[in-house]
Short mmCIF file of all heavy atoms in Angstrom, two decimals:
data_model
loop_
_atom_site.label_atom_id
_atom_site.label_comp_id
_atom_site.label_asym_id
_atom_site.label_seq_id
_atom_site.Cartn_x
_atom_site.Cartn_y
_atom_site.Cartn_z
N PHE E 40 -41.58 81.25 -44.65
CA PHE E 40 -40.13 81.42 -44.62
C PHE E 40 -39.73 82.43 -45.68
O PHE E 40 -40.23 82.40 -46.80
CB PHE E 40 -39.43 80.08 -44.88
CG PHE E 40 -37.97 80.26 -45.16
CD1 PHE E 40 -37.08 80.48 -44.13
CD2 PHE E 40 -37.51 80.25 -46.46
CE1 PHE E 40 -35.74 80.68 -44.39
CE2 PHE E 40 -36.17 80.44 -46.74
CZ PHE E 40 -35.27 80.65 -45.71
N SER E 41 -38.79 83.32 -45.32
CA SER E 41 -38.25 84.29 -46.28
C SER E 41 -36.75 84.43 -46.06
O SER E 41 -36.28 84.49 -44.93
CB SER E 41 -38.90 85.67 -46.08
OG SER E 41 -40.29 85.59 -46.17
N SER E 42 -36.02 84.51 -47.16
CA SER E 42 -34.59 84.78 -47.09
C SER E 42 -34.38 86.28 -47.29
O SER E 42 -34.70 86.81 -48.35
CB SER E 42 -33.84 83.99 -48.17
OG SER E 42 -32.46 84.32 -48.14
N ILE E 43 -33.87 86.93 -46.29
CA ILE E 43 -33.59 88.36 -46.38
C ILE E 43 -32.20 88.58 -46.98
O ILE E 43 -32.00 89.49 -47.76
CB ILE E 43 -33.73 89.02 -44.99
CG1 ILE E 43 -35.20 88.91 -44.54
CG2 ILE E 43 -33.29 90.47 -45.01
CD1 ILE E 43 -35.44 89.29 -43.11
N ALA E 44 -31.24 87.73 -46.61
CA ALA E 44 -29.88 87.80 -47.17
C ALA E 44 -29.21 86.44 -47.00
O ALA E 44 -29.42 85.76 -45.99
CB ALA E 44 -29.07 88.87 -46.46
N SER E 45 -28.40 86.08 -47.98
CA SER E 45 -27.67 84.82 -47.90
C SER E 45 -26.37 84.95 -48.67
O SER E 45 -26.37 85.40 -49.82
CB SER E 45 -28.52 83.69 -48.47
OG SER E 45 -27.81 82.47 -48.45
N GLY E 46 -25.27 84.59 -48.05
CA GLY E 46 -23.98 84.63 -48.73
C GLY E 46 -22.91 85.23 -47.84
O GLY E 46 -23.16 85.62 -46.69
N LYS E 48 -21.58 88.05 -47.78
CA LYS E 48 -21.77 89.46 -47.38
C LYS E 48 -22.79 89.60 -46.26
O LYS E 48 -22.99 90.69 -45.75
CB LYS E 48 -22.18 90.30 -48.58
CG LYS E 48 -21.07 90.43 -49.59
CD LYS E 48 -21.44 91.36 -50.72
CE LYS E 48 -20.26 91.44 -51.68
NZ LYS E 48 -20.53 92.30 -52.81
N GLY E 49 -23.45 88.50 -45.91
CA GLY E 49 -24.39 88.54 -44.79
C GLY E 49 -25.52 87.57 -44.94
O GLY E 49 -25.96 87.28 -46.05
N ASN E 50 -25.99 87.07 -43.81
CA ASN E 50 -27.06 86.08 -43.76
C ASN E 50 -28.14 86.50 -42.79
O ASN E 50 -27.85 86.94 -41.67
CB ASN E 50 -26.49 84.73 -43.32
CG ASN E 50 -25.48 84.21 -44.31
OD1 ASN E 50 -25.85 83.54 -45.26
ND2 ASN E 50 -24.20 84.52 -44.11
N CYS E 51 -29.38 86.35 -43.21
CA CYS E 51 -30.52 86.63 -42.34
C CYS E 51 -31.75 85.98 -42.95
O CYS E 51 -32.10 86.25 -44.10
CB CYS E 51 -30.72 88.14 -42.20
SG CYS E 51 -32.00 88.58 -41.02
N LEU E 52 -32.37 85.11 -42.18
CA LEU E 52 -33.57 84.40 -42.62
C LEU E 52 -34.71 84.74 -41.67
O LEU E 52 -34.48 84.97 -40.48
CB LEU E 52 -33.32 82.89 -42.59
CG LEU E 52 -32.08 82.39 -43.34
CD1 LEU E 52 -31.85 80.90 -43.08
CD2 LEU E 52 -32.20 82.66 -44.82
N LEU E 53 -35.93 84.77 -42.18
CA LEU E 53 -37.11 85.06 -41.37
C LEU E 53 -38.04 83.87 -41.40
O LEU E 53 -38.43 83.40 -42.47
CB LEU E 53 -37.83 86.30 -41.90
CG LEU E 53 -39.15 86.69 -41.22
CD1 LEU E 53 -38.94 87.05 -39.76
CD2 LEU E 53 -39.82 87.83 -41.99
N TYR E 54 -38.40 83.38 -40.21
CA TYR E 54 -39.35 82.29 -40.06
C TYR E 54 -40.55 82.85 -39.31
O TYR E 54 -40.40 83.49 -38.27
CB TYR E 54 -38.74 81.13 -39.28
CG TYR E 54 -39.70 80.03 -38.95
CD1 TYR E 54 -39.96 79.02 -39.87
CD2 TYR E 54 -40.37 80.00 -37.74
CE1 TYR E 54 -40.87 78.00 -39.58
CE2 TYR E 54 -41.28 78.99 -37.44
CZ TYR E 54 -41.52 78.00 -38.36
OH TYR E 54 -42.41 77.00 -38.08
N LEU E 61 -39.22 84.71 -36.02
CA LEU E 61 -37.85 84.47 -35.61
C LEU E 61 -36.89 84.80 -36.74
O LEU E 61 -37.17 84.48 -37.90
CB LEU E 61 -37.65 83.01 -35.21
CG LEU E 61 -38.52 82.47 -34.08
CD1 LEU E 61 -38.34 80.97 -33.95
CD2 LEU E 61 -38.20 83.18 -32.77
N LEU E 62 -35.78 85.43 -36.40
CA LEU E 62 -34.69 85.58 -37.35
C LEU E 62 -33.71 84.44 -37.10
O LEU E 62 -33.42 84.11 -35.94
CB LEU E 62 -33.96 86.91 -37.16
CG LEU E 62 -34.73 88.18 -37.48
CD1 LEU E 62 -33.86 89.40 -37.19
CD2 LEU E 62 -35.19 88.19 -38.92
N VAL E 63 -33.23 83.84 -38.17
CA VAL E 63 -32.11 82.91 -38.07
C VAL E 63 -30.92 83.68 -38.62
O VAL E 63 -30.88 83.99 -39.82
CB VAL E 63 -32.36 81.60 -38.83
CG1 VAL E 63 -31.12 80.70 -38.75
CG2 VAL E 63 -33.59 80.89 -38.29
N ASP E 64 -30.04 84.08 -37.72
CA ASP E 64 -28.88 84.92 -37.99
C ASP E 64 -29.31 86.36 -38.30
O ASP E 64 -30.46 86.63 -38.66
CB ASP E 64 -28.01 84.36 -39.12
CG ASP E 64 -27.30 83.08 -38.72
OD1 ASP E 64 -27.00 82.90 -37.52
OD2 ASP E 64 -27.03 82.24 -39.61
N ALA E 65 -28.36 87.25 -38.09
CA ALA E 65 -28.58 88.68 -38.35
C ALA E 65 -27.25 89.27 -38.76
O ALA E 65 -26.67 90.10 -38.07
CB ALA E 65 -29.14 89.37 -37.10
N GLY E 66 -26.74 88.81 -39.90
CA GLY E 66 -25.40 89.18 -40.35
C GLY E 66 -25.34 90.35 -41.30
O GLY E 66 -24.37 90.50 -42.03
N ILE E 67 -26.37 91.17 -41.30
CA ILE E 67 -26.41 92.39 -42.11
C ILE E 67 -26.84 93.54 -41.21
O ILE E 67 -27.19 93.33 -40.05
CB ILE E 67 -27.35 92.23 -43.33
CG1 ILE E 67 -28.76 91.81 -42.89
CG2 ILE E 67 -26.77 91.23 -44.34
CD1 ILE E 67 -29.78 91.69 -44.01
N SER E 68 -26.85 94.74 -41.75
CA SER E 68 -27.20 95.90 -40.94
C SER E 68 -28.66 95.88 -40.50
O SER E 68 -29.51 95.27 -41.15
CB SER E 68 -26.93 97.19 -41.73
OG SER E 68 -27.87 97.32 -42.78
N LYS E 69 -28.93 96.59 -39.43
CA LYS E 69 -30.30 96.74 -38.93
C LYS E 69 -31.19 97.31 -40.03
O LYS E 69 -32.32 96.85 -40.24
CB LYS E 69 -30.33 97.64 -37.70
CG LYS E 69 -31.71 97.94 -37.17
CD LYS E 69 -31.64 98.92 -36.00
CE LYS E 69 -32.99 99.30 -35.47
NZ LYS E 69 -33.73 100.24 -36.30
N ARG E 71 -30.89 97.07 -43.34
CA ARG E 71 -31.18 96.06 -44.36
C ARG E 71 -32.15 95.00 -43.86
O ARG E 71 -33.01 94.54 -44.60
CB ARG E 71 -29.90 95.39 -44.86
CG ARG E 71 -29.14 96.26 -45.85
CD ARG E 71 -27.98 95.56 -46.50
NE ARG E 71 -28.37 94.35 -47.21
CZ ARG E 71 -27.56 93.31 -47.42
NH1 ARG E 71 -26.32 93.33 -46.99
NH2 ARG E 71 -27.99 92.25 -48.06
N ILE E 72 -32.02 94.63 -42.59
CA ILE E 72 -32.95 93.66 -42.00
C ILE E 72 -34.35 94.26 -41.95
O ILE E 72 -35.32 93.62 -42.33
CB ILE E 72 -32.48 93.20 -40.61
CG1 ILE E 72 -31.18 92.40 -40.72
CG2 ILE E 72 -33.56 92.35 -39.92
CD1 ILE E 72 -30.50 92.08 -39.41
N GLU E 73 -34.42 95.50 -41.51
CA GLU E 73 -35.70 96.20 -41.42
C GLU E 73 -36.38 96.27 -42.79
O GLU E 73 -37.58 96.00 -42.92
CB GLU E 73 -35.47 97.61 -40.87
CG GLU E 73 -36.64 98.25 -40.24
CD GLU E 73 -36.21 99.40 -39.33
OE1 GLU E 73 -35.21 100.07 -39.63
OE2 GLU E 73 -36.91 99.60 -38.34
N GLY E 75 -35.84 94.29 -45.41
CA GLY E 75 -36.20 92.93 -45.83
C GLY E 75 -37.45 92.42 -45.15
O GLY E 75 -38.32 91.83 -45.78
N ILE E 76 -37.55 92.65 -43.85
CA ILE E 76 -38.74 92.22 -43.11
C ILE E 76 -39.97 92.99 -43.59
O ILE E 76 -41.05 92.41 -43.73
CB ILE E 76 -38.53 92.38 -41.59
CG1 ILE E 76 -37.53 91.32 -41.11
CG2 ILE E 76 -39.85 92.26 -40.83
CD1 ILE E 76 -37.19 91.42 -39.64
N CYS E 79 -41.44 91.59 -46.57
CA CYS E 79 -42.16 90.35 -46.26
C CYS E 79 -43.50 90.62 -45.59
O CYS E 79 -44.23 89.68 -45.25
CB CYS E 79 -41.31 89.46 -45.36
SG CYS E 79 -39.76 88.92 -46.10
N LEU E 83 -39.75 94.70 -37.67
CA LEU E 83 -38.78 94.26 -36.67
C LEU E 83 -39.38 94.20 -35.28
O LEU E 83 -38.98 93.37 -34.46
CB LEU E 83 -37.58 95.23 -36.65
CG LEU E 83 -36.40 94.87 -37.52
CD1 LEU E 83 -35.34 95.95 -37.47
CD2 LEU E 83 -35.82 93.53 -37.12
N VAL E 86 -40.49 90.75 -34.09
CA VAL E 86 -39.54 89.63 -33.98
C VAL E 86 -39.40 89.21 -32.52
O VAL E 86 -39.15 90.03 -31.64
CB VAL E 86 -38.17 90.01 -34.59
CG1 VAL E 86 -37.13 88.92 -34.31
CG2 VAL E 86 -38.31 90.23 -36.10
N GLY E 88 -37.23 86.65 -31.46
CA GLY E 88 -35.91 86.15 -31.11
C GLY E 88 -35.02 86.02 -32.33
O GLY E 88 -35.49 86.00 -33.46
N ILE E 89 -33.70 85.96 -32.05
CA ILE E 89 -32.69 85.76 -33.10
C ILE E 89 -31.96 84.46 -32.77
O ILE E 89 -31.36 84.34 -31.70
CB ILE E 89 -31.69 86.92 -33.15
CG1 ILE E 89 -32.41 88.26 -33.36
CG2 ILE E 89 -30.66 86.68 -34.26
CD1 ILE E 89 -31.53 89.48 -33.13
N LEU E 90 -32.04 83.49 -33.67
CA LEU E 90 -31.34 82.21 -33.52
C LEU E 90 -30.02 82.33 -34.26
O LEU E 90 -30.01 82.58 -35.47
CB LEU E 90 -32.17 81.07 -34.11
CG LEU E 90 -33.62 80.94 -33.66
CD1 LEU E 90 -34.30 79.79 -34.39
CD2 LEU E 90 -33.70 80.75 -32.16
N THR E 92 -26.57 80.75 -35.79
CA THR E 92 -25.99 79.47 -36.21
C THR E 92 -24.53 79.34 -35.80
O THR E 92 -24.09 78.27 -35.40
CB THR E 92 -26.08 79.29 -37.74
OG1 THR E 92 -25.40 80.36 -38.39
CG2 THR E 92 -27.54 79.24 -38.19
N SER E 96 -18.94 86.92 -38.53
CA SER E 96 -19.58 88.24 -38.65
C SER E 96 -20.70 88.27 -39.68
O SER E 96 -21.67 89.02 -39.51
CB SER E 96 -18.54 89.32 -38.96
OG SER E 96 -17.93 89.08 -40.21
N ASP E 97 -20.61 87.46 -40.73
CA ASP E 97 -21.67 87.46 -41.74
C ASP E 97 -22.95 86.78 -41.22
O ASP E 97 -23.95 86.70 -41.94
CB ASP E 97 -21.21 86.84 -43.06
CG ASP E 97 -20.77 85.39 -42.95
OD1 ASP E 97 -20.18 85.01 -41.93
OD2 ASP E 97 -21.01 84.64 -43.91
N HIS E 98 -22.93 86.34 -39.96
CA HIS E 98 -24.11 85.75 -39.33
C HIS E 98 -24.56 86.52 -38.09
O HIS E 98 -25.68 86.30 -37.62
CB HIS E 98 -23.84 84.29 -38.96
CG HIS E 98 -23.69 83.42 -40.17
ND1 HIS E 98 -24.72 82.66 -40.67
CD2 HIS E 98 -22.63 83.21 -40.99
CE1 HIS E 98 -24.30 82.02 -41.76
NE2 HIS E 98 -23.04 82.35 -41.98
N ILE E 99 -23.71 87.41 -37.55
CA ILE E 99 -24.06 88.10 -36.30
C ILE E 99 -23.97 89.63 -36.37
O ILE E 99 -24.34 90.30 -35.40
CB ILE E 99 -23.18 87.61 -35.13
CG1 ILE E 99 -21.72 88.01 -35.32
CG2 ILE E 99 -23.34 86.12 -34.92
CD1 ILE E 99 -20.87 87.89 -34.07
N LYS E 100 -23.51 90.19 -37.46
CA LYS E 100 -23.21 91.63 -37.55
C LYS E 100 -24.31 92.54 -36.97
O LYS E 100 -24.02 93.49 -36.26
CB LYS E 100 -22.96 91.98 -39.02
CG LYS E 100 -22.62 93.42 -39.27
CD LYS E 100 -22.38 93.61 -40.76
CE LYS E 100 -22.13 95.04 -41.11
NZ LYS E 100 -21.91 95.19 -42.55
N GLY E 101 -25.56 92.27 -37.25
CA GLY E 101 -26.65 93.13 -36.78
C GLY E 101 -27.34 92.65 -35.52
O GLY E 101 -28.23 93.34 -35.00
N ALA E 102 -26.95 91.51 -34.98
CA ALA E 102 -27.67 90.92 -33.84
C ALA E 102 -27.61 91.79 -32.59
O ALA E 102 -28.61 91.98 -31.91
CB ALA E 102 -27.14 89.52 -33.54
N LEU E 105 -29.83 94.96 -32.88
CA LEU E 105 -31.25 94.59 -32.84
C LEU E 105 -31.68 94.26 -31.41
O LEU E 105 -32.75 94.69 -30.96
CB LEU E 105 -31.53 93.39 -33.74
CG LEU E 105 -31.42 93.62 -35.24
CD1 LEU E 105 -31.66 92.31 -35.98
CD2 LEU E 105 -32.38 94.68 -35.71
N ILE E 177 -32.99 74.08 -41.31
CA ILE E 177 -32.03 75.03 -41.86
C ILE E 177 -30.64 74.55 -41.52
O ILE E 177 -30.33 74.26 -40.35
CB ILE E 177 -32.25 76.44 -41.24
CG1 ILE E 177 -33.65 76.96 -41.57
CG2 ILE E 177 -31.18 77.41 -41.71
CD1 ILE E 177 -34.05 78.19 -40.80
N THR E 179 -26.81 75.92 -42.76
CA THR E 179 -26.04 76.83 -43.62
C THR E 179 -24.54 76.60 -43.42
O THR E 179 -24.11 76.05 -42.41
CB THR E 179 -26.37 78.30 -43.31
OG1 THR E 179 -26.06 78.59 -41.95
CG2 THR E 179 -27.84 78.59 -43.58
N VAL E 199 -33.74 74.38 -45.97
CA VAL E 199 -32.89 75.46 -46.47
C VAL E 199 -31.45 75.01 -46.27
O VAL E 199 -31.02 74.79 -45.14
CB VAL E 199 -33.15 76.78 -45.73
CG1 VAL E 199 -32.19 77.86 -46.22
CG2 VAL E 199 -34.59 77.21 -45.89
N GLU E 201 -27.34 75.82 -47.37
CA GLU E 201 -26.34 76.68 -47.98
C GLU E 201 -25.03 75.93 -47.85
O GLU E 201 -24.63 75.57 -46.74
CB GLU E 201 -26.27 78.03 -47.26
CG GLU E 201 -25.29 78.97 -47.93
CD GLU E 201 -25.04 80.22 -47.12
OE1 GLU E 201 -24.63 80.09 -45.95
OE2 GLU E 201 -25.24 81.30 -47.66
#
Side-chain angles (χ1 to χ4, degrees):
F40 167 79
S41 304
S42 177
I43 295 170
S45 178
K48 292 185 180 179
N50 297 273
C51 185
L52 308 172
L53 175 64
Y54 174 85
L61 302 172
L62 293 178
V63 177
D64 291 330
I67 55 177
S68 71
K69 176 184 177 284
R71 282 188 58 207
I72 294 171
E73 202 161 33
I76 289 177
C79 297
L83 267 177
V86 172
I89 303 168
L90 308 177
T92 59
S96 63
D97 61 325
H98 292 263
I99 66 165
K100 181 179 176 180
L105 291 177
I177 298 169
T179 60
V199 177
E201 183 189 56

